[in-house]
Amino acid sequence: MELEGARAIVGCCQTMCPQAEMRLREKEGLLHPFESVSQSKSQRPRADPQRMVKEYSRPAAGRTDAIPANIRPPAVLLSTVAYLFKHIIIRQDDDWVRVYDFVFDRLRAVRQDAVVQCVDGENAITLLEQMVRFHVYAGYRLCEAPQEAFDPVINDQHLLECLKRLLRLYTTTPGDHHNQPQFEMVYLLHNLGSTDSLLHGLSLPGLVRHALQVMSAAYSSKNCRYPVASLQQVLREGRGELMELAHACGLVEEGDVIQAQYISFLRSKFTPPTKMRVHYEADIDKRLESLDISSWLLGKQISNNDS
């Protein structure tokens, strides 16, 4: 995470929320329920120093965010994200939309502190990987939420911003990055049809580039067809859902939806669907049930069955 043309400062705030912000938000009654000590209805909520997390606020003239005492160093940023994922994400006593809004805002503040300090290297990679996982997970968990409660476009914008910074860091940070293939795939899948994404994919070494060349040949050949039955197994979709998607993408004519046995992925016919029904998938839900979500978001494990 770089801040071009600016001089990095070194944060010295050793708590998740600076003391000055804690006092101000308590005084002004701006505490989130996740951060306050339980009080009677007649009493003003009090800040819980162990649960207060710095909130995001837009930079403006006269702001004191650049003061080192208000900036959390990388180690504190990492522990802050760990707190959010271990103690807030898993809450069952509140609407998860509100959980998402809180974590979304606090992660923006984490990124803000990281940018101000020009945090890079492994610390930045770890933070961004965790944030990308959060946005991917939230995008699925809230995919059926009403638009007024959850905006998938904004979530995707932040996902893409984190991804781009992350992929750039992979190329500038020495060492082996074991999670890089996973996040390269997320980027490519998230940007299907994008020229920039395709060019980025072609710049990758080895197997990924070969796979893209195979895909390019398939997209250009009229004789390259994929059996519908096999595609159902790969995508774990019923025939109805699969053919609905193929028709929406222009790969199957409306009159062939019922009888088609093969799908040709011709680039000349492909049209990004303007509107698709977004819904939960049983296989994904089953997979998520096997995960310790907090550990997965932090990159600690893949599933409860893994050592």
Side-chain angles (χ1 to χ4, degrees), residues 76-100:
V76 179
L77 296 178
L78 288 165
S79 63
T80 298
V81 174
Y83 167 79
L84 292 171
F85 289 174
K86 290 179 180 179
H87 299 281
I88 304 299
I89 287 287
I90 62 173
R91 291 184 70 116
Q92 302 291 330
D93 60 343
D94 211 325
D95 184 352
W96 208 80
V97 169
R98 187 150 79 151
V99 171
Y100 166 81

PDB file of all heavy atoms in Angstrom, residues 76-100:
ATOM      1  N   VAL A  76      -0.513  -3.508  15.012  1.00  0.00           N
ATOM      2  CA  VAL A  76      -1.823  -3.217  15.598  1.00  0.00           C
ATOM      3  C   VAL A  76      -2.916  -3.346  14.540  1.00  0.00           C
ATOM      4  O   VAL A  76      -4.031  -3.793  14.835  1.00  0.00           O
ATOM      5  CB  VAL A  76      -1.830  -1.811  16.235  1.00  0.00           C
ATOM      6  CG1 VAL A  76      -3.209  -1.494  16.820  1.00  0.00           C
ATOM      7  CG2 VAL A  76      -0.765  -1.712  17.320  1.00  0.00           C
ATOM      8  N   LEU A  77      -2.607  -2.980  13.308  1.00  0.00           N
ATOM      9  CA  LEU A  77      -3.587  -3.158  12.232  1.00  0.00           C
ATOM     10  C   LEU A  77      -3.919  -4.637  12.050  1.00  0.00           C
ATOM     11  O   LEU A  77      -5.085  -5.009  11.882  1.00  0.00           O
ATOM     12  CB  LEU A  77      -3.044  -2.573  10.921  1.00  0.00           C
ATOM     13  CG  LEU A  77      -2.808  -1.058  10.899  1.00  0.00           C
ATOM     14  CD1 LEU A  77      -2.224  -0.639   9.553  1.00  0.00           C
ATOM     15  CD2 LEU A  77      -4.095  -0.295  11.185  1.00  0.00           C
ATOM     16  N   LEU A  78      -2.902  -5.475  12.093  1.00  0.00           N
ATOM     17  CA  LEU A  78      -3.126  -6.918  11.957  1.00  0.00           C
ATOM     18  C   LEU A  78      -3.957  -7.462  13.117  1.00  0.00           C
ATOM     19  O   LEU A  78      -4.872  -8.274  12.914  1.00  0.00           O
ATOM     20  CB  LEU A  78      -1.784  -7.649  11.878  1.00  0.00           C
ATOM     21  CG  LEU A  78      -0.999  -7.458  10.571  1.00  0.00           C
ATOM     22  CD1 LEU A  78       0.443  -7.920  10.742  1.00  0.00           C
ATOM     23  CD2 LEU A  78      -1.668  -8.220   9.428  1.00  0.00           C
ATOM     24  N   SER A  79      -3.665  -7.013  14.322  1.00  0.00           N
ATOM     25  CA  SER A  79      -4.435  -7.497  15.476  1.00  0.00           C
ATOM     26  C   SER A  79      -5.859  -6.945  15.454  1.00  0.00           C
ATOM     27  O   SER A  79      -6.797  -7.601  15.929  1.00  0.00           O
ATOM     28  CB  SER A  79      -3.731  -7.110  16.782  1.00  0.00           C
ATOM     29  OG  SER A  79      -3.647  -5.706  16.928  1.00  0.00           O
ATOM     30  N   THR A  80      -6.041  -5.757  14.882  1.00  0.00           N
ATOM     31  CA  THR A  80      -7.383  -5.184  14.757  1.00  0.00           C
ATOM     32  C   THR A  80      -8.240  -6.014  13.810  1.00  0.00           C
ATOM     33  O   THR A  80      -9.401  -6.327  14.102  1.00  0.00           O
ATOM     34  CB  THR A  80      -7.307  -3.729  14.256  1.00  0.00           C
ATOM     35  OG1 THR A  80      -6.588  -2.931  15.206  1.00  0.00           O
ATOM     36  CG2 THR A  80      -8.701  -3.146  14.060  1.00  0.00           C
ATOM     37  N   VAL A  81      -7.662  -6.380  12.666  1.00  0.00           N
ATOM     38  CA  VAL A  81      -8.396  -7.216  11.713  1.00  0.00           C
ATOM     39  C   VAL A  81      -8.712  -8.570  12.350  1.00  0.00           C
ATOM     40  O   VAL A  81      -9.820  -9.106  12.189  1.00  0.00           O
ATOM     41  CB  VAL A  81      -7.589  -7.401  10.412  1.00  0.00           C
ATOM     42  CG1 VAL A  81      -8.296  -8.383   9.479  1.00  0.00           C
ATOM     43  CG2 VAL A  81      -7.401  -6.062   9.709  1.00  0.00           C
ATOM     44  N   ALA A  82      -7.763  -9.116  13.092  1.00  0.00           N
ATOM     45  CA  ALA A  82      -7.996 -10.396  13.768  1.00  0.00           C
ATOM     46  C   ALA A  82      -9.158 -10.276  14.752  1.00  0.00           C
ATOM     47  O   ALA A  82     -10.003 -11.177  14.853  1.00  0.00           O
ATOM     48  CB  ALA A  82      -6.727 -10.847  14.490  1.00  0.00           C
ATOM     49  N   TYR A  83      -9.226  -9.169  15.475  1.00  0.00           N
ATOM     50  CA  TYR A  83     -10.338  -8.951  16.407  1.00  0.00           C
ATOM     51  C   TYR A  83     -11.671  -8.910  15.660  1.00  0.00           C
ATOM     52  O   TYR A  83     -12.652  -9.546  16.070  1.00  0.00           O
ATOM     53  CB  TYR A  83     -10.133  -7.646  17.179  1.00  0.00           C
ATOM     54  CG  TYR A  83     -11.374  -7.200  17.918  1.00  0.00           C
ATOM     55  CD1 TYR A  83     -11.732  -7.777  19.136  1.00  0.00           C
ATOM     56  CD2 TYR A  83     -12.213  -6.220  17.379  1.00  0.00           C
ATOM     57  CE1 TYR A  83     -12.891  -7.390  19.798  1.00  0.00           C
ATOM     58  CE2 TYR A  83     -13.367  -5.829  18.034  1.00  0.00           C
ATOM     59  CZ  TYR A  83     -13.705  -6.413  19.243  1.00  0.00           C
ATOM     60  OH  TYR A  83     -14.864  -6.035  19.890  1.00  0.00           O
ATOM     61  N   LEU A  84     -11.709  -8.162  14.563  1.00  0.00           N
ATOM     62  CA  LEU A  84     -12.952  -8.045  13.794  1.00  0.00           C
ATOM     63  C   LEU A  84     -13.425  -9.402  13.289  1.00  0.00           C
ATOM     64  O   LEU A  84     -14.621  -9.715  13.320  1.00  0.00           O
ATOM     65  CB  LEU A  84     -12.743  -7.092  12.615  1.00  0.00           C
ATOM     66  CG  LEU A  84     -12.515  -5.616  12.965  1.00  0.00           C
ATOM     67  CD1 LEU A  84     -12.104  -4.836  11.717  1.00  0.00           C
ATOM     68  CD2 LEU A  84     -13.762  -5.000  13.590  1.00  0.00           C
ATOM     69  N   PHE A  85     -12.488 -10.217  12.831  1.00  0.00           N
ATOM     70  CA  PHE A  85     -12.859 -11.507  12.252  1.00  0.00           C
ATOM     71  C   PHE A  85     -13.165 -12.560  13.317  1.00  0.00           C
ATOM     72  O   PHE A  85     -13.964 -13.462  13.086  1.00  0.00           O
ATOM     73  CB  PHE A  85     -11.745 -12.005  11.332  1.00  0.00           C
ATOM     74  CG  PHE A  85     -11.619 -11.216  10.043  1.00  0.00           C
ATOM     75  CD1 PHE A  85     -10.580 -11.460   9.166  1.00  0.00           C
ATOM     76  CD2 PHE A  85     -12.535 -10.234   9.715  1.00  0.00           C
ATOM     77  CE1 PHE A  85     -10.461 -10.753   7.981  1.00  0.00           C
ATOM     78  CE2 PHE A  85     -12.425  -9.506   8.532  1.00  0.00           C
ATOM     79  CZ  PHE A  85     -11.381  -9.768   7.663  1.00  0.00           C
ATOM     80  N   LYS A  86     -12.528 -12.453  14.465  1.00  0.00           N
ATOM     81  CA  LYS A  86     -12.739 -13.456  15.515  1.00  0.00           C
ATOM     82  C   LYS A  86     -13.933 -13.148  16.410  1.00  0.00           C
ATOM     83  O   LYS A  86     -14.561 -14.068  16.946  1.00  0.00           O
ATOM     84  CB  LYS A  86     -11.485 -13.572  16.383  1.00  0.00           C
ATOM     85  CG  LYS A  86     -10.294 -14.214  15.695  1.00  0.00           C
ATOM     86  CD  LYS A  86      -9.099 -14.264  16.639  1.00  0.00           C
ATOM     87  CE  LYS A  86      -7.890 -14.911  15.990  1.00  0.00           C
ATOM     88  NZ  LYS A  86      -6.720 -14.930  16.916  1.00  0.00           N
ATOM     89  N   HIS A  87     -14.247 -11.857  16.563  1.00  0.00           N
ATOM     90  CA  HIS A  87     -15.265 -11.489  17.546  1.00  0.00           C
ATOM     91  C   HIS A  87     -16.496 -10.791  16.963  1.00  0.00           C
ATOM     92  O   HIS A  87     -17.556 -10.811  17.598  1.00  0.00           O
ATOM     93  CB  HIS A  87     -14.645 -10.586  18.617  1.00  0.00           C
ATOM     94  CG  HIS A  87     -13.532 -11.234  19.384  1.00  0.00           C
ATOM     95  ND1 HIS A  87     -13.756 -12.128  20.400  1.00  0.00           N
ATOM     96  CD2 HIS A  87     -12.182 -11.141  19.249  1.00  0.00           C
ATOM     97  CE1 HIS A  87     -12.595 -12.553  20.885  1.00  0.00           C
ATOM     98  NE2 HIS A  87     -11.627 -11.974  20.201  1.00  0.00           N
ATOM     99  N   ILE A  88     -16.379 -10.185  15.803  1.00  0.00           N
ATOM    100  CA  ILE A  88     -17.516  -9.459  15.233  1.00  0.00           C
ATOM    101  C   ILE A  88     -18.181 -10.250  14.106  1.00  0.00           C
ATOM    102  O   ILE A  88     -19.407 -10.410  14.092  1.00  0.00           O
ATOM    103  CB  ILE A  88     -17.082  -8.072  14.715  1.00  0.00           C
ATOM    104  CG1 ILE A  88     -16.415  -7.264  15.837  1.00  0.00           C
ATOM    105  CG2 ILE A  88     -18.290  -7.321  14.159  1.00  0.00           C
ATOM    106  CD1 ILE A  88     -17.319  -6.995  17.022  1.00  0.00           C
ATOM    107  N   ILE A  89     -17.389 -10.756  13.186  1.00  0.00           N
ATOM    108  CA  ILE A  89     -17.932 -11.494  12.042  1.00  0.00           C
ATOM    109  C   ILE A  89     -18.847 -12.633  12.480  1.00  0.00           C
ATOM    110  O   ILE A  89     -19.866 -12.916  11.839  1.00  0.00           O
ATOM    111  CB  ILE A  89     -16.775 -12.058  11.182  1.00  0.00           C
ATOM    112  CG1 ILE A  89     -16.079 -10.941  10.406  1.00  0.00           C
ATOM    113  CG2 ILE A  89     -17.281 -13.133  10.218  1.00  0.00           C
ATOM    114  CD1 ILE A  89     -16.881 -10.392   9.259  1.00  0.00           C
ATOM    115  N   ILE A  90     -18.507 -13.293  13.562  1.00  0.00           N
ATOM    116  CA  ILE A  90     -19.232 -14.500  13.978  1.00  0.00           C
ATOM    117  C   ILE A  90     -20.454 -14.209  14.839  1.00  0.00           C
ATOM    118  O   ILE A  90     -21.132 -15.138  15.274  1.00  0.00           O
ATOM    119  CB  ILE A  90     -18.293 -15.452  14.748  1.00  0.00           C
ATOM    120  CG1 ILE A  90     -17.775 -14.761  16.023  1.00  0.00           C
ATOM    121  CG2 ILE A  90     -17.142 -15.901  13.868  1.00  0.00           C
ATOM    122  CD1 ILE A  90     -16.971 -15.691  16.918  1.00  0.00           C
ATOM    123  N   ARG A  91     -20.761 -12.948  15.088  1.00  0.00           N
ATOM    124  CA  ARG A  91     -21.889 -12.617  15.967  1.00  0.00           C
ATOM    125  C   ARG A  91     -23.193 -13.180  15.411  1.00  0.00           C
ATOM    126  O   ARG A  91     -23.493 -13.048  14.222  1.00  0.00           O
ATOM    127  CB  ARG A  91     -22.008 -11.101  16.129  1.00  0.00           C
ATOM    128  CG  ARG A  91     -20.881 -10.471  16.935  1.00  0.00           C
ATOM    129  CD  ARG A  91     -21.139  -8.987  17.120  1.00  0.00           C
ATOM    130  NE  ARG A  91     -22.253  -8.746  18.020  1.00  0.00           N
ATOM    131  CZ  ARG A  91     -22.142  -8.127  19.191  1.00  0.00           C
ATOM    132  NH1 ARG A  91     -20.960  -7.718  19.614  1.00  0.00           N
ATOM    133  NH2 ARG A  91     -23.195  -7.922  19.938  1.00  0.00           N
ATOM    134  N   GLN A  92     -23.948 -13.791  16.295  1.00  0.00           N
ATOM    135  CA  GLN A  92     -25.243 -14.357  15.929  1.00  0.00           C
ATOM    136  C   GLN A  92     -26.400 -13.573  16.547  1.00  0.00           C
ATOM    137  O   GLN A  92     -27.565 -13.906  16.318  1.00  0.00           O
ATOM    138  CB  GLN A  92     -25.312 -15.819  16.402  1.00  0.00           C
ATOM    139  CG  GLN A  92     -24.222 -16.712  15.843  1.00  0.00           C
ATOM    140  CD  GLN A  92     -24.368 -16.957  14.354  1.00  0.00           C
ATOM    141  OE1 GLN A  92     -25.477 -16.965  13.832  1.00  0.00           O
ATOM    142  NE2 GLN A  92     -23.250 -17.156  13.665  1.00  0.00           N
ATOM    143  N   ASP A  93     -26.070 -12.546  17.342  1.00  0.00           N
ATOM    144  CA  ASP A  93     -27.103 -11.823  18.077  1.00  0.00           C
ATOM    145  C   ASP A  93     -27.566 -10.559  17.373  1.00  0.00           C
ATOM    146  O   ASP A  93     -28.274  -9.738  17.957  1.00  0.00           O
ATOM    147  CB  ASP A  93     -26.586 -11.463  19.476  1.00  0.00           C
ATOM    148  CG  ASP A  93     -25.333 -10.590  19.425  1.00  0.00           C
ATOM    149  OD1 ASP A  93     -24.690 -10.531  18.351  1.00  0.00           O
ATOM    150  OD2 ASP A  93     -24.995  -9.970  20.448  1.00  0.00           O
ATOM    151  N   ASP A  94     -27.169 -10.391  16.114  1.00  0.00           N
ATOM    152  CA  ASP A  94     -27.542  -9.182  15.390  1.00  0.00           C
ATOM    153  C   ASP A  94     -27.684  -9.499  13.908  1.00  0.00           C
ATOM    154  O   ASP A  94     -27.178 -10.517  13.424  1.00  0.00           O
ATOM    155  CB  ASP A  94     -26.486  -8.085  15.590  1.00  0.00           C
ATOM    156  CG  ASP A  94     -27.088  -6.686  15.538  1.00  0.00           C
ATOM    157  OD1 ASP A  94     -28.033  -6.487  14.748  1.00  0.00           O
ATOM    158  OD2 ASP A  94     -26.630  -5.807  16.285  1.00  0.00           O
ATOM    159  N   ASP A  95     -28.374  -8.621  13.199  1.00  0.00           N
ATOM    160  CA  ASP A  95     -28.524  -8.759  11.757  1.00  0.00           C
ATOM    161  C   ASP A  95     -27.138  -8.694  11.117  1.00  0.00           C
ATOM    162  O   ASP A  95     -26.356  -7.778  11.403  1.00  0.00           O
ATOM    163  CB  ASP A  95     -29.409  -7.615  11.244  1.00  0.00           C
ATOM    164  CG  ASP A  95     -29.704  -7.723   9.758  1.00  0.00           C
ATOM    165  OD1 ASP A  95     -29.110  -8.586   9.089  1.00  0.00           O
ATOM    166  OD2 ASP A  95     -30.535  -6.940   9.271  1.00  0.00           O
ATOM    167  N   TRP A  96     -26.837  -9.647  10.214  1.00  0.00           N
ATOM    168  CA  TRP A  96     -25.486  -9.674   9.654  1.00  0.00           C
ATOM    169  C   TRP A  96     -25.225  -8.491   8.730  1.00  0.00           C
ATOM    170  O   TRP A  96     -24.075  -8.149   8.483  1.00  0.00           O
ATOM    171  CB  TRP A  96     -25.214 -10.984   8.918  1.00  0.00           C
ATOM    172  CG  TRP A  96     -23.745 -11.308   8.958  1.00  0.00           C
ATOM    173  CD1 TRP A  96     -23.057 -11.869   9.980  1.00  0.00           C
ATOM    174  CD2 TRP A  96     -22.777 -11.033   7.927  1.00  0.00           C
ATOM    175  NE1 TRP A  96     -21.714 -11.974   9.667  1.00  0.00           N
ATOM    176  CE2 TRP A  96     -21.519 -11.473   8.410  1.00  0.00           C
ATOM    177  CE3 TRP A  96     -22.850 -10.475   6.659  1.00  0.00           C
ATOM    178  CZ2 TRP A  96     -20.346 -11.374   7.668  1.00  0.00           C
ATOM    179  CZ3 TRP A  96     -21.676 -10.371   5.912  1.00  0.00           C
ATOM    180  CH2 TRP A  96     -20.442 -10.815   6.418  1.00  0.00           C
ATOM    181  N   VAL A  97     -26.264  -7.840   8.246  1.00  0.00           N
ATOM    182  CA  VAL A  97     -26.058  -6.618   7.466  1.00  0.00           C
ATOM    183  C   VAL A  97     -25.391  -5.564   8.336  1.00  0.00           C
ATOM    184  O   VAL A  97     -24.483  -4.850   7.898  1.00  0.00           O
ATOM    185  CB  VAL A  97     -27.390  -6.085   6.904  1.00  0.00           C
ATOM    186  CG1 VAL A  97     -27.207  -4.682   6.324  1.00  0.00           C
ATOM    187  CG2 VAL A  97     -27.933  -7.022   5.834  1.00  0.00           C
ATOM    188  N   ARG A  98     -25.823  -5.469   9.591  1.00  0.00           N
ATOM    189  CA  ARG A  98     -25.208  -4.496  10.493  1.00  0.00           C
ATOM    190  C   ARG A  98     -23.780  -4.918  10.845  1.00  0.00           C
ATOM    191  O   ARG A  98     -22.894  -4.072  10.979  1.00  0.00           O
ATOM    192  CB  ARG A  98     -26.041  -4.334  11.765  1.00  0.00           C
ATOM    193  CG  ARG A  98     -25.526  -3.210  12.639  1.00  0.00           C
ATOM    194  CD  ARG A  98     -26.600  -2.549  13.446  1.00  0.00           C
ATOM    195  NE  ARG A  98     -26.969  -3.308  14.621  1.00  0.00           N
ATOM    196  CZ  ARG A  98     -27.443  -2.745  15.737  1.00  0.00           C
ATOM    197  NH1 ARG A  98     -27.593  -1.441  15.805  1.00  0.00           N
ATOM    198  NH2 ARG A  98     -27.782  -3.485  16.757  1.00  0.00           N
ATOM    199  N   VAL A  99     -23.559  -6.213  10.984  1.00  0.00           N
ATOM    200  CA  VAL A  99     -22.202  -6.715  11.203  1.00  0.00           C
ATOM    201  C   VAL A  99     -21.316  -6.325  10.023  1.00  0.00           C
ATOM    202  O   VAL A  99     -20.202  -5.816  10.193  1.00  0.00           O
ATOM    203  CB  VAL A  99     -22.211  -8.247  11.380  1.00  0.00           C
ATOM    204  CG1 VAL A  99     -20.785  -8.800  11.389  1.00  0.00           C
ATOM    205  CG2 VAL A  99     -22.932  -8.635  12.665  1.00  0.00           C
ATOM    206  N   TYR A 100     -21.826  -6.548   8.816  1.00  0.00           N
ATOM    207  CA  TYR A 100     -21.072  -6.203   7.603  1.00  0.00           C
ATOM    208  C   TYR A 100     -20.742  -4.713   7.562  1.00  0.00           C
ATOM    209  O   TYR A 100     -19.600  -4.327   7.291  1.00  0.00           O
ATOM    210  CB  TYR A 100     -21.876  -6.593   6.363  1.00  0.00           C
ATOM    211  CG  TYR A 100     -21.335  -5.989   5.083  1.00  0.00           C
ATOM    212  CD1 TYR A 100     -20.257  -6.565   4.419  1.00  0.00           C
ATOM    213  CD2 TYR A 100     -21.900  -4.827   4.544  1.00  0.00           C
ATOM    214  CE1 TYR A 100     -19.754  -6.004   3.250  1.00  0.00           C
ATOM    215  CE2 TYR A 100     -21.406  -4.267   3.380  1.00  0.00           C
ATOM    216  CZ  TYR A 100     -20.331  -4.852   2.733  1.00  0.00           C
ATOM    217  OH  TYR A 100     -19.830  -4.290   1.584  1.00  0.00           O
TER     218      TYR A 100
END
